[in-house]
Amino acid sequence: MAALSNSEIWKPLLIATALGALFFGGFKARAFVVCLVFSLLIAEGITGVLKSAIDRHRPKQAQSVRMVELQSARPKFMALFKKPNIRFSDQADRNRSGPSFPSGHMTNNTVIAVYCTLFYRRRGWLYWIITAGVGYSRIYLGAHWPSDVIATLFLAIGEGLLLLGLFELIWRTAARKWAPNVYVKHPSLFGNGRKISNLPGTDPNTERSRDIS
């Protein structure tokens, strides 16, 4: 649970995956990465504002709970091969962490799951398994109350859908005007490519012969 909840372990893999999608992926992969990065940055800002406004104490700040902590290691994934430290929270933990709600871990992974599901409908839903595991790990480690995780889930789903809808609107408005040839091939950021023959300056017969998948 401590390893699943530690973002430092998984950050190199996520960065490598994102770079691979940008350099070697198609339009959908690039759109996925760009939209996701902007969404995570915006969601992080919203999470910070809500944490400060609500200021809810974490379980380990309100009572004595069991805590599982990875040992220090460089690189961080080497901590997986060391026995974790298990202790109970005490007075020293009262001011060591920020507020409890909403959960930043849950927000980020839920937004990723929403984007994976919408961009890659056949297999993207599998990321919800990871999201559920991260949510449970936050409760298991005494970092969040169950209500934090559940409420953050619905909050982050709303944020992800709203932001993706905004990006889709921006794309359809801007690309139709400034990049009509690209828009003909990709009228939607996360949908399948389809033919559009009613754009000004486009020839339906020419567009019909192009491979726009």
Side-chain angles (χ1 to χ4, degrees), residues 35-61:
C35 291
L36 181 58
V37 168
F38 277 108
S39 293
L40 291 176
L41 291 174
I42 295 172
E44 183 178 0
I46 295 174
T47 297
V49 171
L50 291 177
K51 279 181 178 289
S52 299
I54 298 173
D55 196 25
R56 188 184 194 189
H57 287 169
R58 297 176 184 266
K60 62 183 180 181
Q61 296 171 325

Side-chain angles (χ1 to χ4, degrees), residues 7 16 18 20 38 45 53 63 74 81 90 97 100 109 112-114 118 121 133 145 207 211:
S7 59
F38 277 108
Q63 59 192 43
R74 287 291 182 271
F81 304 99
D90 52 30
S97 301
S100 183
N109 282 277
I112 294 174
V114 169
L118 294 178
R121 299 176 186 178
W145 307 95
E207 299 301 336
D211 178 9

Side-chain angles (χ1 to χ4, degrees), residues 169-184:
L169 177 62
I170 293 173
W171 170 254
R172 294 190 179 191
T173 302
R176 181 188 291 269
K177 180 178 181 181
W178 301 107
N181 291 332
V182 178
Y183 181 73
V184 166

